Amino acid sequence: MARTTYDELLDAGVHFGHLTRKWDPKMSQYIFMERNGIHIIDLNKTLTKVEEAAAAIKQIVKSGRKVLFVATKKQAKDIVAEYAKGVNMPFITERWLGGMLTNFATVRKSIKKMSNIDKLTKDGTYSNLSKKERLMIQRERIKLETLLGGIADLNRLPAALFLIDVKKEHIAVSEALKLNIPTFAMVDTNSDPSNIDFPIPANDDATKSISLITGIIIKAIEEGLDERKREKEDEAEKEAAAAKAKADAPEAVTPDRGDNGKRSRKTTATTAEVAEAAAETGTEPAETE
């Protein structure tokens, strides 16, 4: 079943591109026509590309990895943040800090600093500080939360990036390219899709268009999470059934030789020793009962 329809894309204004004088020639394959000085995106290409992107991102999430959402433009930040929180995925919606991926260890230190401030507040140390110190710490905490709050739970590099407006997020794209992290993105007629692994030709300025395309990607992520959960449950059931079968199986009975076996071996050994001793002395061994 298709994740969206031609009419839904049309209603959301996904087909509206930028002015023809602002276009990027590398987007020519996704442009249908020009109307009133504006390029019109080929929605048939959009349908194909969004299906490919959703299928790929579903497999990434199914394997248990994270997708980082990046949308710092005003029209997209609230939409993307809400969607990402719904599926517990990391997101950046304020400002992309240079080196956020290529210098991830330093970024992790800033995140750890934010958690340390939270610990100070909980253990009572914060209340023992002076008013000025508390104010400084509070301001720093707000700043860190604004910039890094969306990736506070990201312990390692994300498996993929989903971006709105690759022209605006060019630093994130270049860092992902250096680290071979696959990128999924909405690309408008003024963007360069050549560096994006899964480009989705779409209007990246209209909130309806952003909401529709991001919603499709989020739906694919939900499917991947559900399938992963079902697989884990099936594995747990199989392990429990195997453990139960092993516990219920009768134990193998090993033959018990008992004391008779030990005595007989001992007796045989003793008789042989007596016979050998008798041969050496030249006497007949006495019969044993």
Side-chain angles (χ1 to χ4, degrees), residues 10-279:
L10 202 63
D11 292 340
V14 176
H15 59 295
F16 290 120
H18 280 267
L19 295 171
T20 53
R21 59 186 173 83
K22 291 185 177 181
W23 81 308
D24 190 311
K26 293 179 181 178
M27 278 294 292
S28 59
Q29 59 181 317
Y30 302 119
I31 295 174
F32 177 66
M33 64 179 290
E34 174 193 338
R35 180 182 292 173
N36 299 328
I38 295 174
H39 276 132
I40 303 299
I41 295 169
D42 188 346
L43 292 183
N44 290 316
K45 298 279 183 71
T46 303
L47 279 171
T48 304
K49 289 297 183 179
V50 78
E51 288 287 343
E52 290 177 3
I57 214 163
K58 176 182 173 181
Q59 293 304 316
I60 289 173
V61 174
K62 188 178 175 181
S63 65
R65 294 175 291 172
K66 295 282 188 179
V67 177
L68 176 62
F69 286 75
V70 184
T72 59
K73 66 192 305 179
K74 187 178 179 181
Q75 305 95 307
K77 59 170 62 178
D78 292 337
I79 297 169
V80 170
E82 185 179 352
Y83 273 130
K85 286 176 183 176
V87 290
N88 197 28
M89 288 291 162
F91 60 91
I92 297 292
T93 55
E94 285 304 319
R95 184 165 66 89
W96 181 271
L97 300 175
M100 192 167 283
L101 295 180
T102 52
N103 197 14
F104 188 69
T106 303
V107 174
R108 282 298 308 162
K109 288 179 182 178
S110 297
I111 295 171
K112 189 175 181 181
K113 189 175 183 180
M114 186 169 62
S115 63
N116 288 337
I117 292 174
D118 292 337
K119 287 180 182 178
L120 288 176
T121 308
K122 291 178 182 178
D123 62 15
T125 309
Y126 184 75
S127 58
N128 295 329
L129 299 174
S130 66
K131 185 177 180 181
K132 185 178 179 180
E133 287 175 326
R134 287 201 303 268
L135 187 61
M136 289 174 64
I137 291 174
Q138 189 178 5
R139 285 175 179 171
E140 187 175 12
R141 174 68 176 81
I142 292 170
K143 183 180 178 181
L144 289 171
E145 176 66 32
T146 303
L147 294 174
L148 305 173
I151 59 169
D153 298 327
L154 190 64
N155 298 319
R156 58 178 180 174
L157 286 172
L161 263 66
F162 178 77
L163 309 106
I164 308 293
D165 194 344
V166 296
K167 194 170 184 179
K168 184 174 177 61
E169 313 299 346
H170 63 95
I171 300 175
V173 173
S174 63
E175 288 189 27
L177 198 62
K178 286 179 183 177
L179 298 172
N180 294 320
I181 297 174
T183 49
F184 300 75
M186 291 177 67
V187 289
D188 212 328
T189 56
N190 67 334
S191 305
D192 179 5
S194 59
N195 292 327
I196 305 300
D197 297 291
F198 294 91
I200 304 170
N203 181 356
D204 61 12
D205 292 309
T207 54
K208 283 186 178 180
S209 175
I210 294 168
S211 182
L212 177 63
I213 299 299
T214 307
I216 293 168
I217 297 299
I218 291 295
K219 185 68 177 175
I221 289 174
E222 288 175 347
E223 291 173 6
L225 292 172
D226 289 341
E227 287 187 15
R228 178 174 172 78
K229 184 179 178 182
R230 284 198 297 271
E231 285 181 0
K232 280 188 174 182
E233 288 175 352
D234 291 342
E235 286 178 8
E237 287 178 4
K238 286 179 182 178
E239 289 176 2
K244 188 175 184 300
K246 187 177 180 180
D248 293 343
E251 294 183 4
V253 180
T254 54
D256 187 8
R257 295 174 183 267
D259 293 339
N260 292 333
K262 291 180 182 178
R263 261 201 304 271
S264 63
R265 284 196 300 274
K266 187 175 180 182
T267 304
T268 304
T270 305
T271 304
E273 290 171 0
V274 171
E276 186 179 350

